[in-house]
Amino acid sequence: MTEQLNPITARDTCEIIADAITSEKTLEIMGAGSRRSIGRPMETDHILSTSALNGISLYEPDELVLRAGPGTTMTHLQSELAQNGQMLAFEPPDYGPLLGAPLNLGTLGGVVAGNLAGPRRIKVGAARDHFLGVEAVSGRGEIFRSGGRVVKNVTGYDLCKLMAGSWGTLGVMTDITVKVMPAPEKTRTLLVNCPNLSVALSVMTAALSSPHDVSAAAWLPQSIVSKSAVSYVASSGAALAALRLEGISRSVEERCRSLREDLASFGDLEELHSHNSLNFWREVRDVRAFIDFGDRDALWKISVAPAEAQALLNKLHAVADMDAFLDWGGGLIWAQVSGMDDGGSSIIRRTMGAEGGHATLIRGSIKQRALEPVFHPELPAVARLTERIKDAFDPKRILNPGRMFEGV
Amino acid sequence: MRMPEPNNGVLSRRTEIVSDLRRILPAECVIAEEEELRAYECDGLTAYRQLPLIVVLPETTEQVSDVLQYCYGEGIKIVPRGAGTSLSGGALPLADGITLGLGKFNRILEVDYKNRCVRAQTGVTNLAITNAVNGEGFYYAPDPSSQIACSIGGNVAENSGGVHCLKYGLTTNNLLGIEMVLMDGEIVRLGGKYLDAGGYDLMGIVTGSEGLLGVITEVTVRILRSPSTARAILIGFPSSQSAGTCVADIIGAGIIPAGMEMMDQPAIHAAEAFVKVGYPLEADALLIVELDGPSVEVDELILRVEAIARKNGAQSIRISESENERNDFWAGRKAAFPAVGRISPDYYCMDGTIPRNRLSEVLDRMSDFSEDFGLRVANVFHAGDGNLHPLILYDANSPGELEKAEQFGAEILKLCVEVGGVLTGEHGVGVEKRDLMGEMFTEVDLNQQQRVKCAFDPTQQLNPGKVFPTLHRCAELGRVHIHSQQTRFPDLPRF
């Protein structure tokens, strides 16, 4: 029978993994389980939940640093930060509803293990870029630490980079130190009426190449716009490019004015003020447009060079029943493909090639996730390195075996 | 400095190896004459010197691959070298190793404004990337002080920083893709013009790996639009403590300056004597705060910073009113190292990072050390990110002073770790801090790092003797040891 183990210290975690090694048992590593359905389906002997490894052990606002257990919920962490006017600048998304789980369930460990990021990714980076230090237990049953609590640190290999985005396949994090940043005083969003994707890409490129310090740039086709809960957006009835400006009040107003002037020739312009802006970008961040889905729908997160987005979308539209929107100035495509047995995997992978970016199946049926590569297939040389990295941390294949790649 | 024992078999085959290499590479790409090898005997850490066995200067990735494949088969060690500006001995040669110089990889391959990135060969200098795009109003953000000379591939190997890290990040935060060659000659491309890796972040682990995992041949970096305005404020304080509190208050007020630098009195005096830009000589600590962005924002934040400085008892405040004046403010800071070089025959530059709020305590303890060792010290400090550069003044011609300076330096770095900081913020471990790694990491931590090394370079032929104080064989590190469980946790469900 599958048991759920809830260690409360790193030492407990170490014991559990040591036991798993000797008894040749596999473990599913889980936080709150809000992103549990991402990855290839696994059948493990037991579940190791990090939810009891929780709580903030260090928070120094003036030092811009916070340390917490992986099981600390994002809701708790973000409310502590908000009390000091601070935030995790990479805008960690909440995919709960997108994956059929409630909102506000996710943990810091889950956000870091998935190397997630929201719309501000283009300006400040992803979880990996804010991850200063880690304590973790490897699949060898050893507690190791890497990094520290300071931003400038090149002492030894940066194992935090490997832990971020490894989806629990290399180690169980027991303590996480992150950089925190001041939250903006004011937020404003400029909406540009852009029915045509190529115009939208020009708008986003112009905005991101301007000196106006744009912190997010997205494009939503009309089908997505109409689903917005921000009535101002939904009622616009047209495809929109959205550009976000953040910072101190006077600066935001001034930059918004300048950006309007720069973009006036592209189409009609509207503005969202703080409250609507926050709600709108939360919808983009959490991919709320695609929370309704059927059995035959597959949802893809595709990272490409922004200038390649259009060609890729055109090719996909030609062969698949698909709805999509862009974030990261065109560098991130969220695409829901309907009615294809493989969820569109082969056409997406064939079009992108091995080096044109990466596509991850964020939501798909168990069958799709079992039969199609969930994470982008790697070239043989890279796949060999991936396997050897897994060997370095988890040679017995105990932790989340096969979640990312077969045999890893 | 103890380096791995040279392999006599390799040493005795030198002539044969030279002729093999001259078959693999154009003849002028292989350097074997002693007077020419001399130019490669050290990097920026000049206290350590060693003539390399041979130097090769390949021109293409395929040639790098051919050389590595050959060396892999022959069991010959490789030391990769960019511009040779490392301050930690990362490119220190090995007597039985081939130094692989990447100086001929000096072309910018592509400037892509649509995707806001530049693809460049590994030997292109950091500054050349900015120079290639600043006509269009763009720049490459990380700006190590050696940027005029240091290579972009070396920046990746060291994860270089600069004075703008707090706001714009280090190399790792601005890097999109690399091409690298593994020790067995395999060419691997990681990343590209898109963000984040789909699988493990191999590029992230290679960044800052000090040439121990692979030889980087090509780099793709993000470029940013240059801010429309930058202004600096020069603030003199009666004590480093009040300067430190001012720094904390600025950040506590939600302001992230583009740069925030501190200098102590010896550094202020040395710099002023050198560049004469009007630094306040009566100040015990000097803070330079630079703000960049739209002018309306910069103007407002300058006023906020000024108010915070006054509240913290600033003795003198100057705000730059022109680009010339801003550059003057920086001139002394940028010339701090050569300025200190003028007041002392030699200096030894340290590079620890500390939590900012421990600064005054660290400076106090450092002046105690200074008395104990009988050596003067001047401090420049990237106050925004906690990276401290104490410059220990000594005279290499005075017997025993170098050793004393090194001991003093080691004490400072141990102190950095003790207060919650790290051994090196941007210069790297190299050979210089290798034997101090145990101050920060346990055996388990170091072994886990070495297993990553083994994943890339199982025969450990790439840059051995750097970073890790003890070299373990990869096979030995691969074994799984279950430590006997003494304590059981009865409240935990067991299998």
Side-chain angles (χ1 to χ4, degrees), chain A residues 113-142:
Chain A
N115 187 32
L116 303 180
R120 212 182 280 110
R121 170 69 185 89
I122 46 174
K123 181 167 146 68
V124 303
R128 75 187 281 279
D129 299 286
H130 298 254
F131 188 13
L132 301 178
V134 71
E135 176 193 77
V137 184
S138 71
R140 299 170 170 275
E142 292 177 331

Side-chain angles (χ1 to χ4, degrees), chain A residues 30 64 88 167 189 266 294 349 369:
Chain A
M30 192 175 89
L64 303 176
L88 290 174
W167 296 93
T189 303
F266 285 105
R349 265 64 187 259
R369 290 189 285 123

Side-chain angles (χ1 to χ4, degrees), chain B residues 207-495:
Chain B
T207 310
S209 64
E210 306 197 19
L212 271 74
L213 301 186
V215 177
I216 295 157
T217 48
E218 188 190 304
V219 166
T220 305
V221 293
R222 276 149 59 95
I223 49 170
L224 303 178
R225 177 63 189 242
S226 313
S228 47
T229 317
R231 290 177 78 189
I233 173 164
L234 190 71
I235 315 163
F237 287 96
S239 71
S240 60
Q241 198 155 13
S242 49
T245 319
C246 183
V247 167
D249 287 353
I250 290 170
I251 289 169
I255 301 169
I256 302 294
M260 184 146 60
E261 295 290 308
M262 196 191 293
M263 296 163 77
D264 69 359
Q265 197 168 47
I268 299 167
H269 281 244
E272 179 59 18
F274 190 44
V275 296
K276 299 188 178 59
V277 286
Y279 279 3
L281 296 175
E282 75 288 356
D284 213 45
L286 181 69
L287 203 58
I288 308 172
V289 183
E290 179 161 291
L291 295 144
D292 68 5
S295 60
V296 54
E297 175 170 325
V298 171
D299 293 349
E300 172 151 345
L301 291 180
I302 283 272
L303 294 178
R304 292 190 193 180
V305 170
E306 184 186 5
I308 293 169
R310 291 204 189 284
K311 201 191 76 191
N312 281 292
Q315 289 167 312
S316 62
I317 295 182
R318 281 172 66 195
I319 297 172
S320 73
E321 298 297 338
S322 67
E323 269 301 280
N324 277 341
E325 196 174 12
R326 184 179 73 89
N327 289 329
D328 278 353
F329 288 2
W330 280 107
R333 167 62 187 89
K334 287 188 171 164
F337 289 16
V340 166
R342 284 189 356 144
I343 59 167
S344 170
D346 297 284
Y347 68 88
Y348 185 37
C349 175
M350 306 310 297
D351 170 49
T353 303
I354 55 171
R356 280 178 294 261
N357 57 11
R358 306 297 290 270
L359 176 69
S360 66
E361 173 191 348
V362 167
L363 290 179
D364 284 348
R365 301 249 319 253
M366 220 187 285
S367 48
D368 293 345
F369 292 156
S370 174
E371 272 175 36
D372 295 349
F373 284 99
L375 293 174
R376 289 178 297 159
V377 61
N379 271 291
V380 296
F381 181 53
H382 300 303
D385 53 43
N387 189 199
L388 192 59
H389 291 311
L391 304 169
I392 300 168
L393 313 188
Y394 72 101
D395 181 356
N397 289 325
S398 166
E401 275 214 356
L402 169 64
E403 290 70 24
K404 248 194 328 186
E406 286 182 333
Q407 281 167 24
F408 186 176
E411 290 306 316
I412 292 174
L413 295 185
K414 287 179 196 170
L415 173 61
C416 290
V417 174
E418 184 194 314
V419 301
V422 301
L423 292 173
T424 171
E426 57 184 353
H427 294 173
V429 176
V431 290
E432 188 200 23
K433 281 150 271 184
R434 185 191 70 187
D435 295 339
L436 290 172
M437 287 288 271
E439 296 291 328
M440 199 169 137
F441 296 112
T442 65
E443 184 78 10
V444 171
D445 301 338
L446 288 171
N447 285 352
Q448 194 52 50
Q449 293 184 33
Q450 279 194 56
R451 287 189 192 102
V452 172
K453 158 80 170 164
C454 291
F456 284 81
D457 175 24
T459 52
Q460 306 200 71
Q461 283 169 258
L462 257 179
N463 221 2
K466 317 288 167 67
V467 182
F468 298 111
T470 324
L471 280 180
H472 297 289
R473 293 162 55 87
C474 288
E476 180 192 324
L477 287 169
R479 294 194 197 107
V480 178
H481 302 276
I482 296 300
H483 305 286
S484 65
Q485 309 294 316
Q486 310 256 311
T487 330
R488 288 281 166 181
F489 293 80
D491 49 331
L492 269 178
R494 313 306 308 178
F495 296 144

